[in-house]
Amino acid sequence: MCEANAYLLKNNSETLIMEAVDKVEPEGDGIKLISIFGDQKFIKGKILSLSLVDHKIFLAEIKS
Amino acid sequence: MCEANAYLLKNNSETLIMEAVDKVEPEGDGIKLISIFGDQKFIKGKILSLSLVDHKIFLAEIKS
């Protein structure tokens, strides 16, 4: 399986926010993550980068 | 390996723009794609969605 882990980058540290992410969908001012188990999480932020071979998704919060 | 194929969605049709994509990096008004072979492509557009289990990345052009 080719799911990935999603990390939030903040102050130079990575926080794991969701494992086994299947779908990544930008929506409005954030990103919707859906895991292979169907769990959903909405992060107010943006995609910094994805590294599929490393199974990593990096997001950053948008300060409002 | 967990690379994906990148498609451009336009007028309800999908066009394959890059195979074996490893890295996806939003940059300025577009998206930089880097394949597992090191090839790079810059698409002026945005990420519509990613489906990692299906190995698919969907992008849309930004009209300017």
Side-chain angles (χ1 to χ4, degrees):
Chain A
M1 293 286 273
C2 284
E3 65 276 11
N5 292 332
Y7 299 87
L8 194 65
L9 280 182
K10 206 173 164 180
N11 302 325
N12 291 320
S13 70
E14 300 174 6
T15 308
L16 179 65
I17 45 174
M18 191 181 231
E19 291 182 297
V21 175
D22 173 17
K23 293 193 192 324
V24 181
E25 299 175 356
E27 265 189 19
D29 62 352
I31 309 291
K32 187 166 78 177
L33 303 172
I34 307 172
S35 80
I36 58 170
F37 310 110
D39 297 328
Q40 292 197 13
K41 205 169 261 188
F42 183 81
I43 307 296
K44 195 173 170 182
K46 59 177 184 174
I47 295 171
L48 282 178
S49 66
L50 293 106
S51 182
L52 302 180
V53 172
D54 292 339
H55 299 241
K56 287 187 170 184
I57 298 165
F58 294 110
L59 306 177
E61 275 185 340
I62 294 173
K63 283 166 192 156
S64 57
Chain B
M1 294 286 276
C2 284
E3 66 276 10
N5 291 333
Y7 299 87
L8 195 64
L9 280 182
K10 206 173 165 180
N11 302 328
N12 292 319
S13 70
E14 300 174 6
T15 308
L16 179 65
I17 46 175
M18 192 180 229
E19 291 181 297
V21 174
D22 172 17
K23 294 194 191 326
V24 180
E25 299 175 355
E27 265 189 21
D29 61 355
I31 308 292
K32 187 166 77 177
L33 303 172
I34 306 173
S35 80
I36 57 170
F37 309 110
D39 298 326
Q40 293 196 13
K41 206 168 263 189
F42 183 82
I43 307 295
K44 195 171 170 185
K46 60 178 184 174
I47 295 171
L48 283 179
S49 66
L50 292 107
S51 181
L52 303 180
V53 171
D54 293 337
H55 301 243
K56 286 186 172 185
I57 298 165
F58 294 109
L59 305 177
E61 274 185 340
I62 294 172
K63 284 167 192 158
S64 58

